[in-house]
Amino acid sequence: MRASDARAAATGPSVVRLAPPRLVRSFASALALAAATTVAGCHCGNKDTCDPARGDEDCNGGQVCELVTDGDPMCFDPVIVAGIVYDTADGSPIEGALVVALDANGTPVTDVAVSDAAGAYRLRVPNERDADGNLTGGNVTLRASADGYQTFPGGIRTALPIDLATAVATDGELVVMNTATDIGLIAVPGGGGLASISGNVAAGTGVLVVAELAGGGAGLSAVSDRDGDYTVFNVPDGDYQVRGYAADVQLVPADVTVAGADLTGVDLAVADTPLTTINGSVQIVNAPGGSTTSVVLVVASTFSATFARGEVPPGLRAPRTGPPDVSGAFTITGVPDGSYAVLAAFENDGLVRDPDPAIAGTQIVFVDLPDPAGAVIDLADSFKVTEALVVLGPGVDAPEAVDAAPTLSWVDDSSEDFYELRVYDALGSEVWFQMVPGASGMDLAIPYGGPLDPGMFYQFRATSFRTPGGVPGPISTTEDLRGVFFLPAP
């Protein structure tokens, strides 16, 4: 059975899907408009008050206990996020995938759902209501993992925000089910059949759990759910240290050996060792006035030198929440022990880390904690950040489906002599490279000449160079999270 044949499984036959799961951008705006019209008005049933401490016991008829802005909690129709987990290569459903919804801070707000044989999953998402009983909205993102597949989001793929206010009233539920709630996973090389590591984090929900191979190697990750449970998939045989990462939480790592069988009961206890504060500064150059950025800590074992990105534990960001606001000094508090890469201008803010390695402050900084210097670490050099090359397509704001080899386009850098254009696949391999002459003020548009396999995701990155004194030096590059495209499965 293909995933597109299972569209009604997640919510029942009365929910109409507007597009198959592999069409990420099609008809999304039409669905949002229809949904916004459908949910207008109060979905508060018998208006019974309830006690959140008792869960949903005070509510009848399938309703749930929700918080009310400036009022007592009441019983309402539940908000359900539903969709299909499928293989991006052929559209087939994936059974046994673990799916959880995260808030803007990367903290799970739902239990973990397990996809069924049709790939379908359902998540009940708590959502505060206003005084009239209407949804207050808010966004969530999805994280999914499964045996034999890359964890989503990861690599060049990011999770799109899902607006809960677009829920559709359906049979006593408010259902969000659209192309953003369908999750395509990419198979790992060699397929599945590897072991898993699972356990419980004493600190509870939203901890990034990473199994780090002794002696180095790529870390494998999971996020603990609302009960603190986690599962790390696709673990090759070897000796691992399992660590938990989140702001304001220090956990005792667990040393384990994987030898062809799943490991359970790998629990992480709370430690009483002190946390660390990291201070630093950002210098923004060659960018519009008033530009601001953010700084994040990436767990070093998950850092990809190819993509210059990795897993960011909840809260290890400056600012901790909200839009980027760093234009000079920054502070990240409550940092647990571990090894981190410190990244500035990681998000889509129109800025990038200056790519010229000859300039101080452009190198990626790594820190190892605990640090002999003490509980407060002051980074020596400021981070040089510059204006990014503007992506014109594909993948301006989100991964973009294409039906043939696309034209890769970006805005010209006015002072360049030439460009290097590289394309990477989601597995981290460079699959295409081309030198591009300077454009003298004209936008660049280069036909892509590399592979385009169904279900695989690709990202193009353009870097501008100039040659003062005959020595090439990079000036700027396209942003870390833009320029992603894919060919849908047939």
Side-chain angles (χ1 to χ4, degrees):
M1 177 189 294
R2 297 175 63 84
S4 55
D5 296 328
R7 298 174 193 167
T11 60
S14 59
V15 174
V16 177
R17 297 297 297 281
L18 296 181
R22 52 191 180 273
L23 299 181
V24 172
R25 303 185 69 176
S26 301
F27 307 116
S29 59
L31 179 60
L33 177 61
T37 302
T38 305
V39 300
C42 175
H43 293 270
C44 43
N46 53 22
K47 301 186 179 179
D48 287 340
T49 58
C50 57
D51 181 358
R54 290 168 50 85
D56 303 325
E57 295 179 11
D58 297 331
C59 301
N60 299 315
Q63 294 194 326
V64 296
C65 187
E66 298 277 39
L67 299 178
V68 175
T69 305
D70 299 325
D72 294 329
M74 295 177 61
C75 297
F76 297 97
D77 296 341
V79 176
I80 303 295
V81 171
I84 304 295
V85 184
Y86 65 98
D87 189 315
T88 61
D90 58 12
S92 60
I94 297 174
E95 182 178 7
L98 306 183
V99 185
V100 64
L102 312 176
D103 65 14
N105 301 318
T107 299
V109 293
T110 69
D111 294 325
V112 172
V114 181
S115 62
D116 62 19
Y121 73 89
R122 288 167 49 90
L123 293 167
R124 207 281 276 183
V125 184
N127 191 255
E128 187 173 292
R129 315 300 167 102
D130 65 19
D132 295 324
N134 299 307
L135 294 174
T136 59
N139 293 335
V140 296
T141 60
L142 298 175
R143 180 184 174 103
S145 56
D147 178 32
Y149 291 88
Q150 284 187 334
T151 296
F152 172 85
I156 60 177
R157 303 183 64 198
T158 58
L160 302 179
I162 297 166
D163 186 357
L164 299 179
T166 62
V168 178
T170 307
D171 296 336
E173 297 178 335
L174 302 177
V175 181
V176 184
M177 188 175 187
N178 54 43
T179 52
T181 66
D182 289 326
I183 307 170
L185 299 183
I186 297 173
V188 297
L194 296 176
S196 65
I197 300 174
S198 61
N200 183 269
V201 180
T205 182
V207 174
L208 177 67
V209 179
V210 183
E212 302 178 340
L213 186 63
L220 303 165
S221 69
V223 171
S224 62
D225 65 18
R226 291 198 299 176
D227 295 323
D229 296 328
Y230 74 90
T231 298
V232 179
F233 287 108
N234 308 311
V235 185
D237 288 355
D239 296 325
Y240 291 85
Q241 186 171 76
V242 181
R243 305 188 67 103
Y245 297 90
D248 304 325
V249 176
Q250 191 78 273
L251 296 163
V252 179
D255 295 320
V256 299
T257 298
V258 175
D262 295 342
L263 294 183
T264 61
V266 183
D267 301 337
L268 302 181
V270 175
D272 57 5
T273 50
L275 298 159
T276 300
T277 293
I278 294 178
N279 297 318
S281 62
V282 168
Q283 181 181 356
I284 300 176
V285 298
N286 300 323
S291 295
T292 57
T293 189
S294 61
V295 181
V296 298
L297 301 184
V298 167
V299 175
S301 65
T302 72
F303 178 74
S304 166
T306 299
F307 300 134
R309 60 182 299 180
E311 298 258 24
V312 180
L316 298 189
R317 174 182 182 264
R320 181 167 288 195
T321 62
D325 68 358
V326 176
S327 59
F330 68 85
T331 295
I332 301 177
T333 61
V335 183
D337 293 349
S339 297
Y340 302 92
V342 188
L343 301 182
F346 175 73
E347 299 166 321
N348 284 335
D349 52 17
L351 302 172
V352 292
R353 179 176 57 88
D354 192 311
D356 190 346
I359 300 175
T362 61
Q363 294 77 18
I364 294 174
V365 174
F366 290 86
V367 293
D368 294 317
L369 304 179
D371 190 295
V376 177
I377 307 299
D378 295 314
L379 301 179
D381 294 323
S382 63
F383 291 87
K384 297 294 193 303
V385 173
T386 189
E387 186 174 15
L389 300 180
V390 177
V391 171
L392 296 177
V396 174
D397 295 313
E400 184 172 342
V402 299
D403 57 10
T407 295
L408 312 179
S409 184
W410 66 96
V411 174
D412 178 47
D413 187 336
S414 60
S415 59
E416 92 291 345
D417 292 317
F418 67 92
Y419 295 90
E420 288 185 353
L421 177 60
R422 301 177 187 273
V423 176
Y424 300 92
D425 67 17
L427 303 177
S429 299
E430 181 181 313
V431 297
W432 192 65
F433 170 80
Q434 184 165 322
M435 298 286 292
V436 180
S440 301
M442 299 177 60
D443 293 339
L444 282 296
I446 306 300
Y448 173 52
L452 190 62
D453 297 326
M456 178 54 71
F457 283 66
Y458 302 89
Q459 182 185 41
F460 82 87
R461 290 195 173 182
T463 302
S464 57
F465 286 79
R466 59 186 167 206
T467 54
V471 179
I475 310 170
S476 186
T477 185
T478 49
E479 289 191 79
D480 296 314
L481 306 181
R482 301 190 190 274
V484 178
F485 59 95
F486 66 100
L487 178 67

